């Protein structure tokens, strides 16, 4: 994998390109992108450090590995128009719902495909990159790709049948946690903490709590118990959250997406 090309340059593609360039895995001069809005593309290229291409033909002529980062509804037309040009290349899909099985009948048999589900925290190097287990990349090529994406956060291989639920947890989960940040921030504001400071305190608390669980491997219930002193303030708050149905609300949220 020497030259990486992006079809589309939205927020997620920008995060991936910026993270890879920053990591030094691939130099900016070897990263290319094409998007119809050329003025915006050139501004992003100047800011991030990749090469803006004036046409799809220029992009596919330059890149050996291509990231499909356009809107999902555009993908089928892109594949139809560029089937031959994609032959022999590695095609990386980051579009929701576009897994290996969906690409297989639409691409040349020489095109190697890998579906990856990133999430928005990849923009700050703390994302989760879900690699679909089913793929047609060469083994060495796939390992190189996983190493490259590790610059953006945690890389996990997921069986095809679990990509939906895993993607729901990591892709939708940030929005759920943002609601928690906003709600706890409002509580701080209610009792006099300036809003910006309240958000900063809550966000750092969530970041630290998550890091503590990841590094210790402790069950979340154990970590919760460690904060709850007998007859203390925290256990009263936990009891209130239980009465309000916090756990059931999160389960219902996931059920609503998966149904």
């Amino acid at each position: 994998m020497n030259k990486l090309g992006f079809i589309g340059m939205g927020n997620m593609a920008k995060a991936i390109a910026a993270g890879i360039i920053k990591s030094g895995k691939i130099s900016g001069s070897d990263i290319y992108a094409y998007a119809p809005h050329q003025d915006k593309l050139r501004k992003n290229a100047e800011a991030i450090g990749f090469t803006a291409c004036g046409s799809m033909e220029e992009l596919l002529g330059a890149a050996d590995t291509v990231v499909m980062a356009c809107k999902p509804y555009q993908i089928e037309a892109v594949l139809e128009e560029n089937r031959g040009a994609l032959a022999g290349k590695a095609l990386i899909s980051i579009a929701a719902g576009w897994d290996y099985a969906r690409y297989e009948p639409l691409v040349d048999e020489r095109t190697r495909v890998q579906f990856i589900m990133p999430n928005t925290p990849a923009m700050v190097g703390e994302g989760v990159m879900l690699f679909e287990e089913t793929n047609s990349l060469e083994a060495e090529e796939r390992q190189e790709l996983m190493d490259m994406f590790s610059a953006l956060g945690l890389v996990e291989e997921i069986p095809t049948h679990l990509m939906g639920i895993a993607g729901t947890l990591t892709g939708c989960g940030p929005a759920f946690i943002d609601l928690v940040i906003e709600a706890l921030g409002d509580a701080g504001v209610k009792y006099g903490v300036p809003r910006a400071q309240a958000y900063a305190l809550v966000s750092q608390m969530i970041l630290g709590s998550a890091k503590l669980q990841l590094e210790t491997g402790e069950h979340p219930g154990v970590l919760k118990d460690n904060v709850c002193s007998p007859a203390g303030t925290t256990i009263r708050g936990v009891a209130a959250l239980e009465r309000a149905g916090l756990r059931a609300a999160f389960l219902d949220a996931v059920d609503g997406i998966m149904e």
Side-chain angles (χ1 to χ4, degrees):
M1 186 185 304
N2 300 310
K3 298 183 184 294
L4 184 65
F6 288 83
I7 299 176
M9 189 45 67
N11 288 335
M12 188 56 66
K14 286 192 293 183
I16 292 171
I20 291 170
I21 292 171
K22 185 177 180 180
S23 73
K25 301 285 186 181
I26 300 180
S27 67
S29 61
D30 289 328
I31 294 180
Y32 305 84
Y34 167 73
H37 301 292
Q38 288 282 297
D39 289 344
K40 185 177 179 181
L41 180 67
R42 291 192 182 94
K43 288 179 182 177
N44 287 328
E46 184 177 345
I48 296 172
F50 61 82
T51 300
C53 295
S55 68
M56 186 76 77
E57 291 75 19
E58 181 184 352
L59 171 76
L60 296 179
D64 51 40
T65 300
V66 177
V67 179
M68 187 69 77
C70 58
K71 300 295 185 185
Y73 72 86
Q74 299 172 320
I75 292 177
E76 195 162 350
V78 170
L79 293 175
E80 184 177 348
E81 292 171 11
N82 300 281
R83 192 172 190 273
L86 287 167
K89 299 183 186 295
L91 180 61
I92 313 304
S93 174
I94 62 169
W98 278 85
D99 60 5
Y100 178 82
R102 193 164 180 184
Y103 275 95
E104 190 176 25
L106 301 175
V107 298
D108 186 277
E109 62 182 11
R110 294 168 292 171
T111 303
R112 304 179 303 283
V113 177
Q114 172 70 67
F115 175 41
I116 301 173
M117 292 186 70
N119 66 354
T120 53
M123 296 179 185
V124 292
E126 294 292 349
V128 181
M129 312 290 120
L130 304 179
F131 274 61
E132 182 185 14
E133 187 176 63
T134 305
N135 70 92
S136 54
L137 296 183
E138 297 170 358
E140 184 177 346
E141 179 179 51
R142 190 168 192 256
Q143 187 57 56
E144 186 179 355
L145 186 69
M146 294 177 87
D147 290 343
M148 183 177 71
F149 270 80
S150 69
L152 306 175
L154 177 68
V155 170
E156 287 286 330
E157 182 179 81
I158 303 292
T160 297
H161 72 281
L162 293 178
M163 284 292 284
I165 179 57
T168 294
L169 296 178
T170 60
C172 303
F176 302 163
I177 299 305
D178 288 337
L179 284 173
V180 173
I181 294 171
E182 185 179 26
L184 287 175
D186 282 347
V189 171
K190 180 179 179 180
Y191 289 96
V193 181
R195 184 167 294 279
Q197 188 175 38
Y199 288 156
L201 294 174
V202 172
S203 293
Q204 180 60 41
M205 176 274 296
I206 290 174
L207 179 64
S209 299
K211 188 173 183 179
L212 181 62
Q213 195 285 320
L214 285 170
E215 293 194 2
T216 63
E218 287 278 16
H219 189 287
V222 171
L223 296 174
K224 179 264 294 177
D225 290 349
N226 290 342
V227 186
C228 294
S229 302
T233 55
T234 305
I235 191 61
R236 291 202 293 271
V238 168
L241 291 173
E242 295 286 13
R243 287 193 300 272
L246 179 69
R247 295 174 194 246
F250 278 116
L251 287 167
D252 285 347
V254 173
D255 286 343
I257 294 167
M258 297 299 293
E259 289 175 354

